[in-house]
Amino acid sequence: MSPRIAVVGVQMGAKADRLSPEELARVAHELLRHDAELRCDPELHPDILGDVRKRADQILAPLVDEIANVDEARRAWRRPWAVAALVLLVAALLVLRAVSGTAVLPSWPSAAVITFAVALVAMGCFAFVSWWNVTRRRNRTADVELRAALLPPLRALLRLIISELQDDEARWSGTLSTTKAPALVELNLQDTIPSRTYERLRTFIAEHESSATGVAGARGSGKTTLMRRLSLDDTLGCHVALVSTPVKYAAVEFTRLIHGELARAGLRSSAAGLARRHLAAPALRVALRTLLMAAAALLLVTLWLYDKNRPVPTSFDLGWTGLSAVALGALILGFALNRAWAFFRIRAGMSTFPQSTRELCLQQLEFLRWSTSVERSASAAIKVSGSGFEGGSKLSQAEREVTHADAVQALRQFVEQLLALGGRPVVICVDELDKLADPAEAVDAINGLKDLFHVAKAHFVLSVSTDAMLSFAARGVPMRDVFDSAFDTIISVAPLSLDESQTLISRRARDFSRVFVLFCHAWSGGHARDLIRTARSCVDLKRDLQDGEQADIALLSRRVLRHDLREVVDATVEKLRGDDGDLAKTMLDPVLAFQEALEDDAANLHDLLKRIKFPPDAGMAAMAAEARPATTLAPYARIAALCERLFSISRPPAAWQAEAMSDAVIALAEARAALGRHPREIERKLRRAADACALADVSG
């Protein structure tokens, strides 16, 4: 059960648009009481809530827009009361004067005055009800958005604090006590990328007038999260557009896609305001404009009727039916005038120069959405007594098809106008270039974007996986050369450090022993996606234990390693069977033998590898691309054997915390991260890991 965050609890402190730490602590307390995953000893609650107050800025900093919307929604309740009170006061005075017999207007009888007062109250009630409904809906929307944005990072912080408050015996236990881990999935949290990688990218953008940056890393290493974090960084002070590369590349459409995303990014960043203006009751504005125009139309009709009887005006008494008909007609006319005014504003906005970032972005979105066609016609006729000549001409003009050069020029002009109006730099992030199936299209995409590089105060960040680069290179496309030559710098997404892995898992899983964190880090190589998957596998395999089996590190690590190895071996067998080359056929036999040996759960991996003789890496370059995963199977299995040996021994908490153990885990992670590199580098990393594991065994 998720606690509800009450909008009334939002308090404004010294700075505007801030949620108080006390309110955050109150919500955290509700989570601790009602969330089954976060329940703990009530005696720990004061310490936990104290840490929440101290770390409030970590939670609240990314929520500036949501908090501002809640505060604006709260202030909206106070605005129309004065107007409503004034309308009721005027209506009451009119009725009192009419009932008392005093002439309010010389030519209006009492019935007309009362009718006018009732109509005034009715129109006021209509406007008030419209405001009430819209404001209530706005409050609910702001509440839901704040709750949706606040609860995931707050839950993560509570898990981390609870983990930190555990004693060493529980924190370094060799038994896994985690039973639920709903957050062990690839959620969009900022802890999936190393802070040093993000700071390097952010610093490079901030220190240069314009730049073109390439981001490289393995699939799942956090490139997309890196770009999303960039788009959420308000301290950067930029319009950040995040574009995902389409599977099918078309130069014009791709450029227009970037153009549209940048316009939407400009709308988002031009107002913690824009969201508030959109929430600021469009229905209410329509109602008020309609009433205003209806009142103006009614006034004009009244003046016209009064003027018809000059110089001796008669009694202005339309009766109830007449006045109702006039009021209804005025409302209909006011609504029609309001629609005409809205249409005129749209048409005028397309043809006038925008005066703000918001107007510019809306204009650009209209430009991208619609095409323009112009049609002119003229006719002339001369007739005498029913006979003569008649002629005509017609000219139609339609926009020609947009070329890539036109799209690039339009985007360049938009960037320059955006900078001129707002003064904020532009960051365009293009993600997942490796989604393009054809390597030539990936090269064309990079070359096409070069036309936009180095516009003043415009920064481009493009990502591609190193796996795709290697795959493209194997197919004869020098992707690395194109990627390197196109950018000012290449930033590689480094693997997570051991401490970062610890923080990531502690924020996503409650009571997750640090011994299991050591195993997950070693086996994943610090790769964020694999780290989460390995931790989730440990929790899932714990649920599948039979009666009498204990969820200790030796049993669960062994089963995780065997499960992953079987998946890789099965995939390798399928790849080798798809290759008709002699080298693939030679490799298939030892892989099949290893697949069969893995069925023996009693034997350890170290002994199994001694019985299997994999062919050397020499000559693998001649193998087809489909069979290349087989080249990393042997080192992959050796890393698994080292992990199994290191974590198969029961150790006291002090042994797990020893420096030699940390060195062994880090060495294993480096070897795991090196898979796919040159065989000599992999072998060197493996020897270092084996030596570190042997030293840890001696020390333990």
Side-chain angles (χ1 to χ4, degrees):
M1 176 180 176
S2 299
R4 179 173 178 80
I5 300 174
V7 176
V8 295
V10 178
Q11 302 173 1
M12 304 309 294
K15 293 184 178 180
D17 299 342
R18 292 297 302 270
L19 186 66
S20 70
E22 288 301 324
E23 169 63 13
L24 191 64
R26 185 189 67 79
V27 177
H29 190 224
E30 292 180 0
L31 282 172
L32 292 173
R33 291 176 53 198
H34 298 103
D35 196 310
E37 182 199 1
L38 297 174
R39 285 177 185 165
C40 60
D41 187 354
E43 294 182 358
L44 294 176
H45 287 188
D47 294 334
I48 295 173
L49 297 180
D51 279 347
V52 168
R53 293 185 186 97
K54 292 178 183 177
R55 307 184 192 187
D57 288 342
Q58 298 179 17
I59 302 294
L60 301 179
L63 304 179
V64 174
D65 289 349
E66 289 81 1
I67 296 172
N69 285 339
V70 171
D71 177 64
E72 184 72 15
R74 288 177 60 242
R75 285 199 294 260
W77 286 104
R78 301 192 293 265
R79 289 173 182 166
W81 294 107
V83 177
L86 180 62
V87 170
L88 291 176
L89 180 62
V90 171
L93 290 176
L94 289 174
V95 171
L96 288 175
R97 294 291 295 273
V99 171
S100 64
T102 305
V104 181
L105 294 174
S107 59
W108 283 32
S110 298
V113 173
I114 293 175
T115 302
F116 178 76
V118 171
L120 183 64
V121 172
M123 289 189 293
C125 290
F126 172 73
F128 186 81
V129 170
S130 299
W131 165 84
W132 178 274
N133 289 330
V134 172
T135 304
R136 184 179 59 177
R137 185 165 60 248
R138 177 185 176 185
N139 272 269
R140 289 178 179 174
T141 301
D143 185 22
V144 169
E145 289 180 353
L146 178 59
R147 184 169 65 253
L150 175 61
L151 290 185
L154 182 57
R155 282 195 179 98
L157 179 61
L158 289 174
R159 295 187 197 103
L160 179 62
I161 294 173
I162 293 172
S163 174
E164 293 174 348
L165 291 176
Q166 291 178 323
D167 56 26
D168 281 351
E169 193 68 28
R171 196 161 35 192
W172 292 94
S173 171
T175 302
L176 184 64
S177 58
T178 304
T179 56
K180 293 182 178 180
L184 276 177
V185 291
E186 293 183 53
L187 296 174
N188 183 26
L189 295 179
Q190 296 179 2
D191 53 12
T192 55
I193 56 173
S195 57
R196 60 189 184 277
T197 304
Y198 176 73
E199 287 302 323
R200 182 184 172 192
L201 175 60
R202 187 185 183 283
T203 301
F204 188 84
I205 292 175
E207 291 180 349
H208 293 82
E209 187 75 12
S210 65
S211 65
T213 306
V215 177
R219 287 189 175 94
S221 59
K223 300 184 298 298
T224 300
T225 307
L226 183 75
M227 293 182 174
R228 286 177 180 168
R229 183 174 175 182
L230 199 66
S231 66
L232 296 174
D233 191 346
D234 292 329
T235 62
L236 191 62
C238 298
H239 300 293
V240 182
L242 177 57
V243 181
S244 183
T245 307
V247 177
K248 295 293 184 181
Y249 172 74
V252 176
E253 294 303 322
F254 189 41
T255 305
R256 290 172 69 88
L257 176 64
I258 295 174
H259 195 152
E261 287 298 326
L262 182 57
R264 281 182 280 272
L267 284 178
R268 287 192 298 270
S269 46
S270 67
L274 180 66
R276 290 199 288 269
R277 279 191 288 268
H278 274 288
L279 286 173
L284 178 60
R285 292 198 301 270
V286 171
L288 292 177
R289 280 201 302 264
T290 300
L291 290 175
L292 180 62
M293 293 184 178
L298 186 60
L299 178 62
L300 292 174
V301 171
T302 302
L303 292 175
W304 178 75
L305 290 174
Y306 182 77
D307 186 66
K308 291 281 288 184
N309 294 285
R310 286 183 182 276
V312 183
T314 59
S315 177
F316 185 72
D317 186 6
L318 297 176
W320 291 90
T321 304
L323 188 59
S324 299
V326 171
L328 180 61
L331 285 175
I332 295 174
L333 181 60
F335 181 76
L337 291 174
N338 176 59
R339 300 300 297 174
W341 172 252
F343 178 77
F344 171 76
R345 288 189 62 189
I346 293 175
R347 299 302 299 174
M350 289 292 294
S351 58
T352 59
F353 189 80
Q355 302 299 315
S356 66
T357 299
R358 179 175 181 268
E359 291 180 3
L360 173 64
C361 294
L362 289 174
Q363 187 184 78
Q364 293 296 313
L365 289 174
E366 290 292 327
F367 163 73
L368 293 171
R369 184 179 179 184
W370 306 106
S371 60
T372 304
S373 60
V374 179
E375 184 173 305
R376 297 187 181 91
S377 61
S379 61
I382 299 176
K383 292 185 178 181
V384 178
S385 300
S387 61
F389 300 96
E390 183 175 356
S393 63
K394 184 176 182 180
L395 174 64
S396 297
Q397 291 180 325
E399 288 188 350
R400 62 180 175 82
E401 185 177 352
V402 178
T403 64
H404 177 59
D406 295 333
V408 169
Q409 182 63 23
L411 178 55
R412 182 185 290 271
Q413 290 177 354
F414 174 46
V415 171
E416 293 172 350
Q417 291 175 346
L418 200 59
L419 293 171
L421 284 175
R424 301 177 65 179
V426 169
V427 179
I428 298 175
C429 301
V430 180
D431 191 23
E432 299 180 315
L433 275 174
D434 46 284
K435 277 172 51 177
L436 296 172
D438 187 354
E441 290 184 350
V443 174
D444 289 342
I446 295 176
N447 289 331
L449 290 172
K450 282 183 180 180
D451 297 333
L452 296 168
F453 289 173
H454 301 113
V455 176
K457 293 189 177 181
H459 304 269
F460 284 81
V461 181
L462 278 73
S463 76
V464 67
S465 72
T466 51
D467 302 337
M469 288 185 183
L470 294 174
S471 176
F472 291 161
R475 295 158 70 176
V477 179
M479 183 70 177
R480 168 63 74 176
D481 295 341
V482 176
F483 201 67
D484 288 346
S485 63
F487 302 103
D488 299 315
T489 186
I490 304 291
I491 296 178
S492 297
V493 180
L496 297 174
S497 67
L498 181 56
D499 290 339
E500 289 169 337
S501 294
Q502 169 65 54
T503 301
L504 186 151
I505 294 181
S506 296
R507 287 169 56 86
R508 292 168 182 257
R510 164 91 186 274
D511 300 330
F512 201 90
S513 169
R514 295 197 176 184
V515 175
F516 283 83
V517 173
L518 294 177
F519 165 68
C520 294
H521 180 75
W523 182 231
S524 66
H527 189 287
R529 181 181 295 172
D530 290 342
L531 179 72
I532 294 171
R533 288 176 178 173
T534 304
R536 187 170 63 244
S537 295
C538 291
V539 177
D540 292 341
L541 289 174
K542 180 194 173 183
R543 297 197 195 102
D544 299 335
L545 292 178
Q546 303 295 324
D547 293 338
E549 292 181 329
Q550 189 176 7
D552 57 25
I553 185 63
L555 178 62
L556 290 181
S557 64
R558 181 185 182 87
R559 291 190 176 179
V560 170
L561 293 170
R562 295 296 179 110
H563 175 269
D564 291 351
L565 264 178
R566 289 190 181 105
E567 284 190 344
V568 172
V569 170
D570 292 345
T572 302
V573 169
E574 293 301 318
K575 293 287 187 180
L576 290 173
R577 284 175 176 168
D579 186 2
D580 297 330
D582 294 337
L583 191 55
K585 293 178 180 178
T586 302
M587 249 199 119
L588 182 59
D589 290 337
V591 174
L592 288 172
F594 186 52
Q595 184 183 44
E596 183 179 355
L598 284 175
E599 297 177 1
D600 182 8
D601 291 331
N604 62 64
L605 292 175
H606 185 70
D607 293 338
L608 290 180
L609 288 176
K610 285 183 178 179
R611 299 201 301 263
I612 305 298
K613 186 177 181 181
F614 291 98
D617 290 329
M620 291 299 170
M623 184 179 294
E626 289 75 8
R628 289 182 183 277
T631 62
T632 59
L633 178 58
Y636 184 78
R638 288 172 61 187
I639 295 172
L642 289 172
C643 287
E644 184 184 72
R645 188 177 71 180
L646 184 65
F647 292 98
S648 62
I649 303 173
S650 179
R651 307 172 193 266
W656 291 114
Q657 298 178 61
E659 184 179 354
M661 179 60 65
S662 297
D663 292 341
V665 169
I666 293 173
L668 283 170
E670 291 177 351
R672 175 69 174 81
L675 292 180
R677 299 180 186 174
H678 194 277
R680 289 185 180 178
E681 184 177 0
I682 298 175
E683 185 62 30
R684 178 170 54 84
K685 298 282 188 182
L686 279 170
R687 285 198 301 267
R688 182 182 299 172
D691 293 341
C693 289
L695 183 59
D697 289 338
V698 173
S699 302

